[in-house]
Each structure stands twice: as structure tokens, then as C-alpha cells.
Amino acid sequence: MSHCDHCHHCPFRRQYKVVLVGHPNVGKSSIFNMLSRRYTEVSNYAGTSVSVTTARTHFGTLVDTPGIHSLAGSDAQIEEITKEHIDEADIVINVVNAVTLDRDLILTKQLLQTYHSKVVVVVNQADEAEKRGIAIDYHELSKTLGVKVVRTVAIRGVGKKELVLAIMSNVGPYNLPCHASSSSDVATILSRCMPHAYYHEHHGHHEHHGHGHHHRHYMLTKIDKLLLSPVIGWGVVLLTLYTLFKILGCVIAGNIVDYLVSAIDKFYVPAVSKLVSGLLGDNLFTEVLIGEFGVLTMAVKVIFGILMPLIIGFYIIMSLLEDSGYIPRIAILTSRFFNFLGLNGDAVIPILLGFGCGALGTISCRILKTKKEQVIVTALIGIAVPCAAQQCIIISLLATTNNVGVWAAYIAVMLAVMIISGKVIGWFINGRPSDFIMDIPTLRIPSIVNCYHKTARRTKSFLRETAAIFAISSAAITVLHKCGFLSWLQTSLSPVVENLLHLPKEFADIFVMGMIRRDLAAIGVFDMTLATGSQILTASVVISLFVPCINAIVVILKERGWKMAFLLWISSFVLAVSVGSLVARVSTI
Amino acid sequence: MMKSVVDLPPGGSAKILKFENAKTASLLESMGLFIGQSIHVIHKSATIVIGVNHRMVAMSKSLARKVHVSL
């Protein structure tokens, strides 16, 4: 639909700012994707969106905001961002989840009290509610709230037309009496629009919903009890980690990467080397392009032959886990561990996102309620959480030892570093952990379409971010190598590398690579010949603990200030060398 | 007898009687937990998972202590 100038009353005449507001994990991003035909990441847990995403649509600018629980609650930083956008909005789409109407209507009431004339309520995930026997009278809900109410199933595009119409016709105040802005509580609203569901649930008579719904609910609760139990729950976590290790380390690194690297070495490298040397002759520029660290040889082989297959495999597994709703269950299982560090279960989300990318994990610390929690989690991500690409390489590296003990030792060392660092940082900052409360989403079968979109988006973003930096780094390393800097560095650092870490002196190059990007350092180690399991373990620990990459440091600087960025950089360097030397000594005993 | 959510055994159910203070009330009401509502305990460890209406809510023990229930 195009912009229209023919009629003064036409709603297309001007462009509107439409803002999506709602609780975490109600499907705001799915509505955003449905209306804008763009893709923003969608997961089955709260806290996926921590920043604002905008898109141009035919009715104006569509804004997806991070989830909030209240307009006057405790998610201070995120609420501020959301409120600013609501104030500027022409239309506020309040997304509520059909399954959790009792919770979500509190925010709806708050929105209606201040912004009544510009609110449209979207009841999303209506199919999930219907599966559970929750029948909602949308007309009654609309009448009671005094605003338009649209039923949607955003992931399937259901309700798109009705929502666009509601947006277009919501230019002026909607002439329905608003009962909700009075003190009428949510229970009254619910009893009007879903009398059966509310009555039965309120009195605990689940059996009134019929056998099918009851059986499904019963089965899901049973599965949840198993996933949360200390023995089976932790067994499933370990099995998941082991599957990740097997798929990345053995199937992808052991087969697909080997095949791709040998194909690139056999066909691509000779062809491009012949072409470039034929065109440019033998000089430094040729060396930069096709030498040992060549932009067209090594960088291409590393990105497309090694990193891409591993990273795609990792993203697919993560997308499946995120979509299934399993992540919040891990948050509950690990809550005791996080309590010990002075944190609560909320910390799992930024840390898990940090396993994808340190910069993203640091930004998502905004969901944490106290400064103490934000500082501890930022530090843990900066020090002890390797990013996706780095993990893939480390898993592949550890898999070459054919010894699960080395992998277990690596995890034990990283956990010990995490616990000690968290505890030490906690001692220096005052404050108690905030009260933890989290909605546990329903377990569901992951959507293949969403998994595909998410993996494609993350892979593209990874390529965009990596390709240029890898090319520039390869060129810089060739120049440093040619002018003798790397040899000088190897000799200068040999007491540290050879005597303390028991690694080959070429490992000094890894420090230079690691300062640019952690995955570049991991690749350097992957290409290195390490003779023993002890050396592989030490190298993996050192590169995991090594300084945050440039991207992550910039974000830490922005979010937490220069003092923390500086302290984190220095301490992670010292920690990498000291823990590495300890591991080298202990593992050779 | 008035007890808090931490006193409930796994599988136990109760009704919310009151919240310890206004801050707790605001936090829990924003998560859809109200006075008079029926809850049941699904899982109990460092974090307590309760079932309320059609959904599950996890909360820390420290928060659960501030939610008084009638058995």
C-alpha cells in the first residue's frame, strides 16, 4: 500500500509511529516480523529483545520494544527506553499472551490509564490458549477494555489483516466505554471475557476442560518435573552438552570441516595462488594475498572451511534449544550455582547470550535489576565465557584428543574460574541479589522456519562482522611476520609461553590475534601442532580466558564505563596466563 | 495458619493471603499473582516453581518467603 494524498481523512495520508509493548515472551517480535516482513530474533524465553528494533512499513515506523512487566516496576533501564517510545507513539499495540491474560492485563490497565486513545490490544498465541481449553470472548474483552482487541497467531500470520485494519482505524479515540481504567480488577475483566476458563482455573478444577486438554497439561507438567529434578534434570543438561560436543567436535569438525579444508587446499588455493602470482609476480602484496597468512588463502579457508560449518551447526542447536523453551529450565537448575555467586536465575540469559557473542551478552545485562548483578555478569562474560566461534573451535580441538577426560577437565577449570572470579568481584561490590521471579514458558516443538531464519540471520551477521576483520588481520599479520615482529615477539614471550605455559613459542602469535578477535586466536591454535592432551587443554584454557575482543570491549566501555573495561582487559590477560600455567603444571603430573 | 510459599511441600497447594510489603505486591501482581489466587508447588529447590492458572512461575526462596498463603 502506498502513501495516499487524495483524501484528507485517509489514514494513509500521514505516517504513524506504531510501538509494540508487552510482557517479555508474549510474541512482540513475532508481531513485528508479521507486520514488517522483516526478521528479528524470536525465542521461547523472556529477555530475547533487550534493545529497540525499528522497521519502515506502509503505515509508518514500527517499533519493537523489550518486554516489561509494569510501567512502574523494577526493570528500570528497559522501562525507560520503552516509556520514551510510548510517549512518542501515535499507536501503542499492547501485545498480550492469550494463555497468561491474568498477568498481562495488569500492564494493559496501566497503559489504558495513561494512553487510552492510542492503544490497540493484540491477544497473541490464541491457538496455544485454545489447545488448553481457554476460550476468550474477544468482543466482550474489547467492550470491557474500551479498545480494539485483535486475535492473532503471529508465527503463522493469523490476524495480520485485522491488526492492520485496527491500526488504521485507531487514529482518533475509540468510542467504546472504558471500564478498565476504573478500579475494576483483572479478575472482573477475566470473568467477563473468559468466564469458564477463569472459573475453573481459579478453583483448581482443571478436569472441566475436557480430557484432551487435561491430558496434555498433565503430560507437560510431568515432563517439567523431570527436567527440573536434580538427577534427571542434570542428566539431561549433561546429555545436551555431550550431544553438542559430539555433533560439533566429531561430526562437523571431524568430517565436514576436514572435507571442506582438503577441498579448498586441493582446488581453490592452488588456483588462486597461480592466478595472483601470475598477475602480480613475487612481492609483499602477493605475500599478503596468498602467503602463509594470505587474505585470499588462509582467511578464506578459515572462514568458509572451518568457521562457517561449525558456527552454522552451533546456531542450529542453540535455535532449537531456545525455541523449545528449555533454556529457562536450565536457569532454574543452575539457580543454586548463581545464588552462590551473589546472582539469581536471571543471570542465565545474558550468560547464555554471551556464549553466542560477548558483546550481545553484555548488552543483555540490562535485564538484571541491580548494579552488582550487572557488574558480576559483565565480568564473567568478559573473562570466562567463550563466544560461539571460539567454542566451536575449542570443542573441535578437544575432540582431537579422543579423551572425554580432557573435555571434562576444561569445563571444570572454566567453572572454577567463573566461581572464583564471581565471588571475588562480589566481595568488592555491596548489595544483595534482587528477588528472582520468572515466567516459565510452555515446552513446545521448535519451529523449523524460525530456526532457519534465526540461523541464517546469525550466520550472515557473523560473516559481516568477521570477514573484513579477518582479511585486515591476515594482512597485518603477514606484514608483522615479514618485518620480523612476530619472531621478536616469540623470542620475547618465550619465557612465558615455553616455560610457564609449556606451549610452542609460536603461541605468542596467538596473543596478537586474540587481542583483535578471540575466534581468530582459536583458529591460530587450531592450525598449530600441539603434541599432547596437556598442551591442547592449556591452549584451550588460555584462549578462553584471554582478553575480550575489540567488539566486546567497546560494548563494555559503553555499558559499564572505561574503568571496568580497562580492569577487565588487564585482569583477563593476567588470569589467562596464570591459570594456563597452573593447568600446564597440574595436567602434566 | 498463615505460612509462606516456602513452607509448602512439592505438590502442595494453597491460596495467596497477603504479600509482605508493597514492593513485593507490585512485583508479584505485575507477574499476575494476586491475593486470593490458588497456587500449587511444582518444584522446590533453590528456586521454587509454582503453577498458577495455566502457567508456571519460578521464584527465589527469598521472594517466596514474602508471599503468605493459607493452607
Side-chain angles (χ1 to χ4, degrees), chain A residues 12 40 104 284 443:
Chain A
F12 301 113
T40 185
D104 298 357
L284 180 64
L443 285 172

Side-chain angles (χ1 to χ4, degrees), chain A residues 30 33 39 42-44 127 154-156 315-325 443-455:
Chain A
S30 300
N33 294 342
Y39 180 79
V42 178
S43 299
N44 189 16
D127 57 339
I155 49 167
R156 295 213 307 268
Y315 286 153
I316 289 174
I317 296 169
M318 280 308 286
S319 301
L320 293 173
L321 288 176
E322 287 174 355
D323 236 31
S324 67
L443 285 172
R444 68 179 184 209
I445 295 166
S447 150
I448 301 299
V449 176
N450 186 39
C451 180
Y452 162 76
H453 282 302
K454 202 188 277 191
T455 304

Side-chain angles (χ1 to χ4, degrees), chain A residues 346-506:
Chain A
D346 280 332
V348 172
I349 307 297
I351 288 180
L352 270 171
L353 291 173
F355 277 114
C357 168
L360 185 65
T362 306
I363 294 172
S364 69
C365 285
R366 289 174 187 175
I367 66 165
L368 303 174
K369 293 182 188 86
T370 66
K371 197 182 169 198
K372 180 177 180 170
E373 290 167 343
Q374 291 179 341
V375 170
I376 295 176
V377 176
T378 304
L380 291 183
I381 294 171
I383 293 170
V385 176
C387 68
Q390 203 182 10
Q391 277 173 77
C392 294
I393 301 291
I394 290 169
I395 290 174
S396 317
L397 204 62
L398 295 171
T400 57
T401 61
N402 277 329
N403 184 351
V404 180
V406 178
W407 180 60
Y410 169 79
I411 291 180
V413 170
M414 296 306 291
L415 274 177
V417 171
M418 212 180 225
I419 292 169
I420 295 166
S421 329
K423 268 295 195 200
V424 170
I425 299 163
W427 285 331
F428 288 100
I429 309 166
N430 290 330
R432 289 166 55 82
S434 59
D435 285 329
F436 167 63
I437 187 158
M438 179 194 263
D439 259 308
I440 312 288
T442 316
L443 285 172
R444 68 179 184 209
I445 295 166
S447 150
I448 301 299
V449 176
N450 186 39
C451 180
Y452 162 76
H453 282 302
K454 202 188 277 191
T455 304
R457 183 189 156 100
R458 287 177 174 177
T459 309
K460 261 189 225 165
S461 150
F462 173 78
L463 261 184
R464 243 197 327 264
E465 205 178 276
T466 316
I469 293 179
F470 264 57
I472 295 165
S473 311
S474 306
I477 289 167
T478 305
V479 174
L480 291 174
H481 177 63
K482 280 282 157 194
C483 67
F485 176 78
L486 292 185
S487 309
W488 172 81
L489 192 76
Q490 285 171 11
T491 316
S492 311
L493 288 178
S494 78
V496 174
V497 174
E498 290 185 306
N499 301 342
L500 280 179
L501 301 174
H502 298 178
L503 292 169
K505 67 175 182 179
E506 292 79 30

Side-chain angles (χ1 to χ4, degrees), chain A residues 69-139:
Chain A
H69 290 108
S70 153
L71 283 179
S74 49
D75 310 328
Q77 204 177 353
I78 286 173
E79 269 172 28
E80 279 300 310
I81 301 170
T82 306
K83 269 188 213 163
E84 274 173 31
H85 284 281
I86 297 175
D87 286 334
E88 292 165 5
D90 295 298
I91 293 157
V92 175
I93 300 181
N94 173 219
V95 185
V96 296
N97 184 337
V99 181
T100 56
L101 262 190
D102 55 333
R103 178 201 66 179
D104 298 357
L105 287 178
I106 300 288
L107 179 62
T108 308
K109 274 182 67 187
Q110 290 174 351
L111 283 167
L112 290 176
Q113 274 163 10
T114 322
Y115 310 99
H116 180 255
S117 63
K118 52 185 182 184
V119 174
V120 172
V121 173
V122 169
V123 183
N124 192 35
Q125 300 184 33
D127 57 339
E128 185 59 39
E130 282 148 22
K131 271 187 208 162
R132 295 178 187 207
I134 304 172
I136 299 168
D137 184 339
Y138 294 93
H139 180 71

Side-chain angles (χ1 to χ4, degrees), chain B residues 48-70:
Chain B
I48 295 176
V49 180
I50 59 168
V52 52
N53 287 348
H54 286 277
R55 59 202 174 86
M56 292 197 297
V57 177
M59 62 171 86
S60 57
K61 273 189 172 168
S62 59
L63 184 60
R65 272 191 201 98
K66 297 175 191 167
V67 184
H68 298 283
V69 292
S70 70

